[in-house]
Amino acid sequence: MKKIALINGHPNHESFNFALAEAYKKGVEDSGAEIKEIIIRDLDFNPNLQFGYQKRMDLEPDLLKAWEIIQLADHLVWVHPVWWGGLPAITKGFIDRLFLPGLAFKYRENSVWWDKFLKGKTAHIITTIDQPGWYYRMFYGRPSINQLKKSTLEFCGVKPVKVTYIGIIKNSKEEQRQKWIEKVYSLGRKLK
């Protein structure tokens, strides 16, 4: 049975991202697969990597539990908005504090190469935006996707990483939002 880790990176539990995450979760549950949630806003941790990689900060219990969920998962699903072209600060802090050398990867001594500790996992990024996806790719170079997909997940060995853009969110009508909910439910049902 496929094990899914659903990582919700929106800081507001009343956001449309939470509705999308719930739709994905329901789809997975209806498929019979196992799903565990990590709701970043609910975790008790310091999102500031105060010392960079010079001095290790102890991981708080919530981060240790989140890491256990990520390690046991076959497939990671990230739901987050794009704000100022990037990830919400709390989501970036979660990545900074958890995807560390020795946990997610390891630099090789006297080498430009590194070992990837998350090989064998796949991922799907479901992100909300306030512009067409093609515009975000073409004119901005999709910085949030490059950061999460290439510079974090693929760097640590997660492949393939699929991306679904949901938007334009601002001024969207209830009918359109319901279609997006159904689309994300279907992704969960198909375990994508």
Side-chain angles (χ1 to χ4, degrees):
M1 179 186 340
K2 198 169 189 178
K3 295 179 181 178
I4 312 288
L6 176 58
I7 305 160
N8 186 332
H10 201 295
N12 180 359
H13 73 277
E14 295 178 5
S15 71
F16 187 58
N17 279 241
F18 268 75
L20 293 171
E22 190 59 35
Y24 187 90
K25 178 182 171 186
K26 176 113 174 68
V28 171
E29 290 171 343
D30 288 350
S31 78
E34 182 180 332
I35 187 164
K36 301 254 181 173
E37 282 184 282
I38 300 169
I39 301 173
I40 296 173
R41 74 173 295 277
D42 292 345
L43 303 181
D44 184 15
F45 74 104
N46 178 356
N48 183 19
L49 186 63
Q50 289 175 240
F51 310 107
Y53 293 158
Q54 293 175 328
K55 179 181 172 186
R56 181 63 64 104
M57 296 170 65
D58 289 335
L59 294 178
E60 295 87 346
D62 283 356
L63 288 182
L64 291 170
K65 181 156 177 52
W67 188 246
E68 182 181 327
I69 291 169
I70 288 168
Q71 284 184 301
L72 294 174
D74 304 307
H75 186 61
L76 311 175
V77 177
W78 295 74
V79 178
H80 69 83
V82 171
W83 288 348
W84 290 106
L87 302 167
I90 193 75
T91 304
K92 176 66 167 68
F94 175 80
I95 293 166
D96 287 350
R97 288 294 314 286
L98 205 50
F99 286 72
L100 297 167
L103 286 180
F105 66 96
K106 181 182 177 189
Y107 291 117
R108 295 180 189 164
E109 197 169 330
N110 300 319
S111 175
V112 297
W113 303 111
W114 63 98
D115 296 315
K116 302 174 181 187
F117 292 165
L118 298 180
K119 283 185 176 179
K121 298 181 187 306
T122 59
H124 194 145
I125 300 168
I126 300 170
T127 188
T128 56
I129 56 177
D130 278 334
Q131 57 198 303
W134 64 266
Y135 190 89
Y136 183 60
R137 283 189 308 273
M138 185 175 288
F139 290 98
Y140 292 109
R142 64 185 206 160
S144 69
I145 299 303
N146 291 337
Q147 181 180 30
L148 182 54
K149 177 181 177 175
K150 295 181 179 194
S151 298
T152 303
L153 298 174
E154 289 178 354
F155 182 89
C156 296
V158 178
K159 270 190 167 180
V161 179
K162 295 181 181 180
V163 179
T164 298
Y165 295 103
I166 303 291
I168 303 171
I169 297 297
K170 68 180 177 186
N171 304 323
S172 61
K173 306 288 186 230
E174 185 58 36
E175 181 180 334
Q176 177 59 59
R177 287 181 176 228
Q178 189 55 45
K179 287 180 184 175
W180 288 325
I181 294 277
E182 290 167 10
K183 176 180 181 174
V184 171
Y185 168 85
S186 179
L187 291 172
R189 185 88 167 96
K190 295 174 185 174
L191 303 177
K192 294 188 178 209

